[in-house]
């Protein structure tokens, strides 16, 4: 199963088997987990905004980029917030290799992310993130 096949499956709303041999997981080392990590990104980072997301970026000096997200209660009930959270996690999981290493990134979705087409949300988020190969 190649990466393009996985992306096509994700665009169609299908789930991908976790038994895949591709390194597309989302390990704990690639996540922001502590409040102080989030606070550092908000305090020292810069903000980029798009149609569906606001992204806060801060260099971290590591070999990997770490991701976090903040889904506010104002975006809806638990079901809607969890749907947004799953969509963001899947976008990052599928495209983690395309994002430049060495950044702490906090993603703030807007309420329309829950109903936007997955491909449109993916494109909007990827435009805001630093790319590993800016020439491509």
């Amino acid at each position: 199963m190649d990466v393009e096949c996985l992306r096509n499956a994700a665009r169609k709303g299908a789930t991908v088997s976790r038994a895949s041999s591709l390194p597309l997981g989302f390990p704990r080392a690639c996540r922001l987990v502590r409040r102080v990590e989030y606070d550092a990104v908000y305090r020292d980072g810069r903000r980029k905004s798009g149609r569906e997301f606001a992204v806060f970026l801060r260099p971290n000096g590591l070999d990997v980029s770490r991701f976090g997200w903040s889904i506010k209660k104002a975006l809806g009930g638990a079901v809607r917030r969890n749907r947004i959270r799953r969509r963001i996690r899947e976008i990052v999981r599928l495209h983690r290799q395309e994002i430049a290493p060495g950044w702490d990134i906090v993603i703030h979705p807007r309420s329309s992310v829950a109903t936007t087409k997955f491909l449109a949300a993916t494109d909007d988020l990827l435009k805001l993130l630093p790319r590993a190969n800016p020439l491509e």
Side-chain angles (χ1 to χ4, degrees), residues 10 23 26 34 71-72 99 117 119:
F26 197 56
R34 294 185 181 90
I71 291 88
K72 306 293 182 196
I99 299 167
K117 298 280 187 189
L119 186 58

Side-chain angles (χ1 to χ4, degrees), residues 7 18 30 39 52 57 61 75 78 82 89 96 100 106 114:
R7 285 191 191 130
R18 298 225 181 242
C30 295
D39 289 342
E52 307 294 337
L57 304 152
L75 296 180
N82 285 332
R89 187 182 303 124
R96 192 166 51 93
V106 178

Side-chain angles (χ1 to χ4, degrees), residues 81-95:
R81 290 193 316 268
N82 285 332
R83 177 180 169 84
I84 292 170
R85 189 175 292 117
R86 285 191 309 269
R87 294 182 106 196
I88 293 171
R89 187 182 303 124
E90 187 66 4
I91 291 169
V92 172
R93 189 185 72 81
L94 288 174
H95 297 280

